[in-house]
Amino acid sequence: MFPARIRAGAALAPVLLALSGCSSWGCADTTAERGEAGVSVRVENTYGQRSGVSAEVVDWGLRPHPQLPSEGDQVHFTYRFDGADEYSGPAVDACAVDEKRVALGCRTVHASAARARPDGALTGDDWLTVEHPGQVAAVLLIPNDRSYDRPTCDQDVKDGGGTHPPAPAGTGDQL
């Protein structure tokens, strides 16, 4: 009925649409599981595979922030990345937690914001604002790399999708 060329072209049309990104049939989003928080962690990519980078809370304490001393004590902590690239290294969430490992305040720390040391490590320090500083029992790191989160299918059907880091840790999360 139709010449062979037309039948062959019709069969290729869906394949060409999918390859050109004109189809949303292949776009799917998944979210990685949150890794186990600790004082020292091995950084994991979105697939749960260790990246060869470790992160550690070296020290922490309560003291007034130098730019906001009237707000009282806040959590000051020092961190270290080993095996990270100082220009495009990973980022992990750091959280001040109480005795039950409930997050009192969190923020993301980036290896690229740290300073290079002669031993190859990257070290930095930061502050966590918490409502009740006296309840802080530790500062923990969550191993999931937060340095890159690709677009979701809703944001970009053509280039989005894939596995995304878990939602950032926040106040009240059980770690």
Side-chain angles (χ1 to χ4, degrees):
M1 176 162 320
F2 291 106
R5 269 190 222 160
I6 294 174
R7 284 195 308 262
L12 285 176
V15 172
L16 292 174
L17 283 173
L19 290 175
S20 70
C22 295
S23 170
S24 63
W25 297 330
C27 193
D29 289 314
T30 57
T31 302
E33 292 287 324
R34 183 178 288 164
E36 179 72 26
V39 172
S40 180
V41 297
R42 296 297 231 169
V43 179
E44 301 173 358
N45 65 18
T46 54
Y47 301 102
Q49 300 164 334
R50 292 186 173 168
S51 66
V53 175
S54 63
E56 175 183 10
V57 175
V58 177
D59 189 25
W60 72 274
L62 299 177
R63 60 184 66 103
H65 191 287
Q67 295 174 337
L68 304 166
S70 64
E71 292 187 11
D73 283 344
Q74 294 304 320
V75 181
H76 179 254
F77 67 102
T78 305
Y79 58 91
R80 174 184 174 107
F81 284 93
D82 284 298
D85 179 344
E86 66 184 298
Y87 301 106
S88 61
V92 295
D93 284 340
C95 297
V97 297
D98 66 11
E99 289 178 356
K100 296 180 181 177
R101 295 174 60 111
V102 173
L104 302 172
C106 300
R107 74 176 309 119
T108 302
V109 293
H110 297 262
S112 60
R115 295 172 298 285
R117 297 289 176 209
D119 66 359
L122 301 173
T123 61
D125 67 292
D126 214 330
W127 295 84
L128 291 164
T129 302
V130 297
E131 190 172 337
H132 302 288
Q135 293 179 351
V136 176
V139 175
L140 302 179
L141 301 175
I142 299 172
N144 304 87
D145 185 0
R146 303 205 52 79
S147 63
Y148 175 72
D149 191 7
R150 67 184 76 217
T152 64
C153 292
D154 287 342
Q155 294 167 329
D156 187 345
V157 173
K158 181 180 174 212
D159 297 322
T163 305
H164 302 276
T171 302
D173 286 358
Q174 179 69 50
L175 305 180

